[in-house]
Amino acid sequence: MPACRKPKHDRKPEYYISRLKQQAVAAPCKKKRANITSNMMARAERDWREYCTFIAEDPDNFLEACAPQNFKNYLDWKMDMFSIKKLKSIATYWRNLRMVYTEKTGQALEDSIGREIMNYIHGPLKEEHDLEDSETSLPVMSVNDLFQILQYHWAFDAGSLPHERQRVQLSLLLLMMAYTSSRPGAIVESGCAKGSNEALCYKDVKILVIPGSDGAYRDTLVMTITLRYMKGCRGGSKVKTYVCHERDDTLAFCPILPFLALAIDDDAFEIPELKSPEHIFQIKVNRPRKSLHLRWKESILDTPVFRRSVRAADGIRTSHNMAMPYDTLNTYMKRLGRSAGFREDLKPYCIRRGTANSVDSIATDAERNQVMGHIRGQVFERNYLSSHVKIDVQSAYLGSPSQDALIRALGQMSLSQDLRAPKSLSAEQATAIKHHPKVAELQGKCNDLRSRIKLKYGKIKSAKDTEIYCQYQLLKKELLVEIQRQRQERLCNERKQFFNTIDSREIQQQFSGLSSSGTDEKQIDIDVEARAQHISKERTRIADGLFRLSADSTDQERYGLRVQVLTDLVALCRQRESPSQERSPHNDLDKISDTPEPDLLPIACLSTQCLFCLGDNHLSNHTRTFSYSRVDALKRHVATAHLRYLAADKSLTCPHPACKEDLNSIEHFKNHAATVHGVFM
């Protein structure tokens, strides 16, 4: 060894001789796979072992035999044991089993056997089980579709979210997925990594101030987003950084405004003075600097930007450190799309496909693959390319000017949008679900078990930890699942029926001399007006500011509008809306201002008011001072919404904003509420 080289470890030859012997007997190294792939392989191996146990065969030997008839018989068993309707599903199960074979034997399956099994799947298996082989439509969300969704989300959506911060988060998520083409699992907690809390954090986002153009009213804010949890390299060295910038023409498309609102709400900035929109927008870049970085506090760097809501005794709050899961995002988007009258379900991949098709029209294949994170161009062509041909072939053939705008419009999801489409089941339809044969059968079994338990133990709770009690609980769960499944199926059928018949009905009305825009449009106007009554004044101003075209406005006017919108977004992040409630006519607290001060709320309350809600400053004044119609309704609300999250002997502070007395237990709190505030819980 050269004298100038200093070894990292000064080891003797005997060490490497010993390591050589260890490596000679060590098992072959296995390929490192993503979590979702490992989970799918584990399920495939589990199913294979269950099948082999069923037919009394050794799982390992039966797999290593690699006989085509073994695999074909397994697929037959799989089809009989599970509800599989699509050809793609059983083909995926076969690919997973192939990976298990490779993992166990250390060698790849012979191509001839692989082809034979695939021919069996596409031939006899498909015909015997009538498997679906049709390609489902892949909705592509265009910029116009996004505009329609955002406008409905801010201006008309009366559906209550757990917390209004979730509304701001959802708006930013829609924009961020569109501007980064990311899969949802790169921004929120992925469905294949549940419990990991891996999501976009503050350390992954930078806010920079860069000099504006000459004569600009202020300097410009730019945001960089670094994605670390992309498919195939979650948390690895392969990261991508995207750049987002401000939009002045339509603030609804500006991603920086809602992100700043979340940052201010979290008190995330390192500089204490950055707590108001005016201070942020007044920052200037002076020479010799070419940019300024608005840094985050060290304590918040690992905090997810998009977080889930959690329940506590004092109400619903946004978690301080738990990332929003994919299931929650998917539920929010699906509900929003249906409420906005879209025919297809709105899903995160609708936005990703929209970005892919937009980028494809201006970028090379290599650039598009980089943006989308694809290794091969075939992935885009097979899974992302819109089924609507984007070229005006008719005009191209005729040599006439292309009708590009018309061609684009026909490929939009909002082309069939109709606010009259069913959003939920009517009371009659929901009641009819109870009479469905499957539901009625399960309900009868539940009633029978309940009667047997009461006959033997007197009360249901008295039978706890017994076998019949466990059977009853499992049957109740099965009943609830079946009711939910029937409700979803009925709603899907009602929506499908609506969209399949609405065109013919409107055309018939036109030929019958009836106005197709008469009663229905009046009803839509009434519904919109009713929704507006349940929207806070902050949301009203936000909706007005986000969708106000500012092309003809001065720089100062645009600055004022941006400050106002951001101020309202921050205020909205600290609110919680509740479903519409009918107020008792004898509630004098309606006269209190929108933000009641503690000394304006009397110690002696109405007997049917909730003290927890009264002290929750995240709620609107209407909800805080709500008075229930009956005492038993109040007791039920307090028990299910508040006290269930407290231990019986846990000390607490009276939630009334003008009291704040320390109490030893729930019973102490109930006595205090009755004697001091006149509220009986």
Side-chain angles (χ1 to χ4, degrees):
M1 181 181 296
C4 60
R5 180 182 299 173
K6 184 178 181 181
K8 182 178 180 180
H9 299 288
D10 189 12
R11 288 170 174 159
K12 304 298 182 183
E14 291 76 12
Y15 169 81
Y16 295 101
I17 295 174
S18 174
R19 290 280 294 177
L20 183 62
K21 295 178 180 179
Q22 294 175 9
Q23 296 287 2
V25 297
C29 295
K30 296 182 179 180
K31 181 180 180 180
K32 186 177 181 181
R33 304 184 186 274
N35 289 338
I36 187 172
T37 305
S38 300
N39 293 338
M40 290 191 301
M41 291 175 60
R43 179 181 175 183
E45 183 177 359
R46 204 163 50 241
D47 290 346
W48 175 261
R49 291 186 176 279
E50 183 180 349
Y51 157 70
C52 291
T53 302
F54 184 71
I55 63 173
E57 292 284 352
D58 180 80
D60 295 331
N61 294 336
F62 210 55
L63 182 67
E64 293 175 1
C66 197
Q69 62 270 19
N70 295 354
F71 299 133
K72 292 177 183 178
N73 203 41
Y74 163 75
L75 295 176
D76 288 331
W77 172 85
K78 186 90 174 173
M79 292 299 307
D80 293 336
M81 294 296 294
F82 300 92
S83 178
I84 301 174
K85 299 180 180 180
K86 294 189 176 182
L87 188 70
K88 290 176 64 175
S89 299
I90 193 66
T92 300
Y93 291 137
W94 163 240
R95 284 196 295 270
N96 294 339
L97 185 61
R98 285 190 64 168
M99 288 191 290
V100 172
Y101 174 84
T102 303
E103 187 90 358
K104 292 293 183 181
T105 63
Q107 57 186 11
L109 189 77
E110 293 183 16
D111 291 341
S112 59
I113 297 178
R115 285 194 300 270
E116 183 177 349
I117 302 301
M118 288 303 294
N119 292 338
Y120 178 73
I121 291 174
H122 286 268
L125 201 65
K126 175 186 174 183
E127 295 174 1
E128 180 181 350
H129 296 277
D130 194 23
L131 294 172
E132 297 179 16
D133 193 19
S134 58
E135 290 289 337
T136 57
S137 62
L138 301 176
V140 177
M141 192 172 187
S142 68
V143 62
N144 185 63
D145 299 329
L146 180 60
F147 182 88
Q148 298 291 335
I149 283 292
L150 288 173
Q151 188 175 44
Y152 185 87
H153 173 68
W154 285 113
F156 306 120
D157 185 22
S160 60
L161 294 170
H163 197 282
E164 285 301 290
R165 178 182 166 114
Q166 302 290 310
R167 193 177 304 277
V168 181
Q169 289 186 166
L170 179 56
S171 173
L172 178 57
L173 278 165
L174 295 175
L175 295 174
M176 198 169 283
M177 286 189 293
Y179 299 159
T180 63
S181 72
S182 61
R183 297 175 178 85
I187 300 179
V188 299
E189 184 184 85
S190 173
C192 66
K194 291 183 178 180
S196 65
N197 212 41
E198 295 177 347
L200 185 78
C201 297
Y202 274 100
K203 65 183 179 183
D204 304 319
V205 182
K206 290 183 180 179
I207 298 292
L208 301 172
V209 185
I210 61 174
S213 58
D214 293 339
Y217 186 78
R218 63 180 182 86
D219 287 349
T220 304
L221 293 176
V222 176
M223 177 170 65
T224 65
I225 305 167
T226 300
L227 301 181
R228 295 182 294 118
Y229 298 110
M230 296 182 296
K231 182 178 179 181
C233 53
R234 294 185 62 84
S237 58
K238 294 182 180 180
V239 298
K240 287 184 182 177
T241 300
Y242 296 83
V243 178
C244 294
H245 47 82
E246 294 179 292
R247 298 283 306 189
D248 280 328
D249 50 355
T250 305
L251 293 183
F253 288 140
C254 179
I256 295 181
L257 277 177
F259 183 85
L260 288 176
L262 298 180
I264 295 175
D265 180 52
D266 289 333
D267 192 19
F269 289 106
E270 184 179 60
I271 301 176
E273 290 77 13
L274 294 181
K275 293 184 178 180
S276 69
E278 292 88 349
H279 290 162
I280 294 175
F281 292 132
Q282 288 172 359
I283 297 175
K284 291 186 176 295
V285 181
N286 297 319
R287 292 182 178 179
R289 297 302 305 275
K290 295 183 179 180
S291 68
L292 291 176
H293 180 191
L294 307 186
R295 297 189 176 276
W296 313 119
K297 294 179 178 178
E298 286 288 335
S299 59
I300 207 168
L301 290 178
D302 292 319
T303 300
V305 176
F306 304 102
R307 305 193 294 278
R308 69 184 74 189
S309 58
V310 293
R311 290 183 176 272
D314 58 347
I316 299 177
R317 297 289 185 267
T318 298
S319 171
H320 295 296
N321 55 8
M322 296 174 64
M324 176 188 290
Y326 167 77
D327 290 342
T328 300
L329 171 62
N330 196 44
T331 301
Y332 286 169
M333 292 185 63
K334 187 175 182 179
R335 185 201 64 82
L336 178 60
R338 288 186 172 181
S339 299
F342 277 52
R343 180 168 188 167
E344 296 94 350
D345 284 340
L346 180 61
K347 299 179 180 179
Y349 267 79
C350 297
I351 302 178
R352 179 168 162 82
R353 282 190 289 268
T355 305
N357 282 268
S358 299
V359 171
D360 182 59
S361 61
I362 62 172
T364 64
D365 289 352
E367 291 170 335
R368 185 200 62 218
N369 291 340
Q370 181 193 25
V371 171
M372 299 300 297
H374 293 157
I375 300 176
R376 299 177 300 275
Q378 293 87 338
V379 177
F380 167 78
E381 297 166 4
R382 184 173 63 250
N383 300 313
Y384 292 88
L385 184 62
S386 174
S387 59
H388 291 269
V389 178
K390 295 182 286 186
I391 298 175
D392 186 358
V393 181
Q394 175 182 328
S395 297
Y397 180 80
L398 296 175
S400 58
S402 178
Q403 303 290 325
D404 292 334
L406 178 64
I407 300 299
R408 285 196 301 269
L410 289 175
Q412 294 176 357
M413 292 177 65
S414 56
L415 184 67
S416 58
Q417 181 184 8
D418 196 320
L419 290 174
R420 298 167 297 179
K423 301 172 180 60
S424 59
L425 295 180
S426 65
E428 295 79 8
Q429 292 167 344
T431 303
I433 297 295
K434 298 179 181 179
H435 303 294
H436 189 276
K438 290 185 179 179
V439 175
E441 180 185 357
L442 289 171
Q443 185 66 63
K445 292 180 179 179
C446 272
N447 294 339
D448 180 57
L449 273 180
R450 186 188 299 112
S451 300
R452 290 166 55 190
I453 292 174
K454 287 187 175 182
L455 182 63
K456 185 174 182 179
Y457 297 95
K459 294 181 180 180
I460 299 294
K461 291 183 179 179
S462 301
K464 196 173 183 180
D465 297 331
T466 63
E467 183 179 353
I468 192 172
Y469 180 85
C470 295
Q471 292 176 359
Y472 175 66
Q473 294 298 326
L474 289 174
L475 200 57
K476 276 180 60 177
K477 184 181 294 186
E478 186 179 352
L479 174 62
L480 292 175
V481 170
E482 182 61 28
I483 291 175
Q484 185 64 22
R485 191 183 71 81
Q486 292 294 338
R487 288 175 64 90
Q488 292 176 355
E489 185 175 329
R490 178 66 183 269
L491 180 58
C492 288
N493 290 336
E494 291 293 329
R495 287 175 55 81
K496 184 178 181 180
Q497 176 72 9
F498 174 86
F499 283 110
N500 286 344
T501 60
I502 185 62
D503 302 285
S504 297
R505 285 193 283 120
E506 291 201 350
I507 293 173
Q508 286 177 347
Q509 287 179 355
Q510 293 181 28
F511 282 109
S512 300
L514 301 176
S515 173
S516 63
S517 59
T519 306
D520 288 339
E521 284 199 359
K522 289 181 180 178
Q523 184 62 45
I524 291 174
D525 292 339
I526 293 173
D527 292 344
V528 170
E529 184 178 351
R531 292 189 187 102
Q533 294 177 357
H534 299 294
I535 293 177
S536 64
K537 62 181 185 298
E538 287 83 6
R539 267 190 67 187
T540 302
R541 288 197 299 263
I542 290 170
D544 177 66
L546 289 179
F547 299 97
R548 185 190 305 172
L549 298 178
S550 56
D552 299 330
S553 303
T554 64
D555 289 344
Q556 190 169 359
E557 290 173 338
R558 285 195 289 267
Y559 168 78
L561 180 63
R562 187 176 287 272
V563 169
Q564 180 62 58
V565 169
L566 181 52
T567 302
D568 288 329
L569 284 171
V570 174
L572 194 67
C573 284
R574 297 163 183 172
Q575 294 180 7
R576 180 167 67 89
E577 290 296 324
S578 293
S580 58
Q581 298 168 320
E582 294 295 331
R583 181 172 296 280
S584 170
H586 304 293
N587 196 342
D588 295 334
L589 291 179
D590 280 336
K591 301 176 182 178
I592 298 176
S593 64
D594 288 340
T595 54
E597 296 296 331
D599 56 350
L600 295 179
L601 296 171
I603 290 293
C605 305
L606 296 177
S607 60
T608 53
Q609 282 185 311
C610 174
L611 295 181
F612 287 100
C613 294
L614 199 63
D616 189 350
N617 56 12
H618 286 226
L619 294 172
S620 64
N621 181 48
H622 171 88
T623 306
R624 291 181 67 179
T625 60
F626 178 75
S627 178
Y628 288 85
S629 58
R630 300 188 312 274
V631 174
D632 62 316
L634 170 67
K635 289 182 177 180
R636 186 164 54 250
H637 161 76
V638 172
T640 57
H642 302 291
L643 295 185
R644 64 182 295 189
Y645 301 104
L646 289 174
D649 57 348
K650 182 177 177 60
S651 60
L652 67 156
T653 302
C654 177
H656 192 290
C659 181
K660 302 302 181 184
E661 182 175 337
D662 293 329
L663 307 166
N664 298 328
S665 64
I666 290 180
E667 284 301 319
H668 188 188
F669 164 68
K670 290 182 177 180
N671 293 334
H672 168 82
T675 56
V676 177
H677 302 291
V679 177
F680 295 88
M681 299 180 183

